[in-house]
Amino acid sequence: MSILKIVNCLDPILRQACKEIENIDGELSILSQDMIETMYAAPGAGLAANQVGISSQIIVVDRGIGTEKKDPITIINPKITAMEEEQIGEEGCLSIPEIFAEIKRANRVEMKGIDLDGNEVRLESEGFLARALQHEMDHLEGILFWDKLSQVKRGMLKRKFKKRLREMKGDSK
Ligand code: NI
């Protein structure tokens, strides 16, 4: 397994819709393992393939979010089949490091997709896991969490992110 490079939000790949996966093969299984390793190393609670430079519909999330236990799941070609209730909570993204904002999401989400064996999977979630699934699903459609905010708020966060990026580049000199 290897830790992959996570692209940041300035990379245009994060603005493109990802392609549906047609062949589930060994390569996909390796990608999934690498994505899981990359997610935990970051550390984060979810990751979409385009964040590691691959424009395909595959996400990994940690079902053990908020607990000590690591419980990763891989979902191929995910679709949200039901959304209920509302939650507002702080959200971040591994492609927008150190930037957080309060985002409104559905509190309960049902998702279906395919697992690495090619079988259909259905996942019921609520709270933070439901938030993570919606966030990763958005990535596959080229959407970033700050798109949910007003233009003014998004502009502020973008400037903050770019400033932080410049500082980080300065730090590594
Ligand atoms: Ni993200």
Side-chain angles (χ1 to χ4, degrees), residues 15-142:
R15 287 319 203 168
Q16 295 156 14
C18 294
K19 283 189 224 66
E20 203 166 70
I21 290 173
E22 286 169 15
N23 293 313
I24 296 167
D25 53 18
E27 229 173 274
L28 200 62
S29 166
I30 291 167
L31 172 64
S32 152
Q33 287 173 36
D34 288 347
M35 282 173 65
I36 289 168
E37 194 180 353
T38 305
M39 167 178 78
Y40 285 126
L47 195 65
N50 49 353
Q51 291 185 274
V52 293
I54 294 169
S55 193
S56 297
Q57 292 181 20
I58 175 169
I59 62 170
V60 297
V61 289
D62 180 17
R63 283 175 299 188
I65 296 170
T67 70
E68 289 294 299
K69 200 170 65 141
K70 285 181 179 172
D71 186 12
I73 185 175
T74 300
I75 308 173
I76 297 159
N77 300 339
K79 287 183 178 57
I80 289 176
T81 50
M83 293 168 103
E84 283 174 5
E85 302 166 7
E86 257 181 33
Q87 59 168 318
I88 295 174
E90 192 171 74
E91 200 164 314
C93 178
L94 295 177
S95 294
I96 316 178
E98 296 178 39
I99 302 292
F100 300 91
E102 298 269 311
I103 306 286
K104 193 199 283 181
R105 296 280 188 186
N107 188 45
R108 299 167 67 89
V109 161
E110 274 177 31
M111 181 177 266
K112 73 168 187 182
I114 303 168
D115 69 13
L116 288 166
D117 297 317
N119 299 317
E120 190 181 279
V121 282
R122 283 177 183 274
L123 191 60
E124 286 184 7
S125 63
E126 64 175 285
F128 200 88
L129 180 58
R131 173 178 296 282
L133 291 173
Q134 291 167 85
H135 179 110
E136 301 316 327
M137 190 71 221
D138 278 351
H139 272 306
L140 298 187
E141 292 168 354

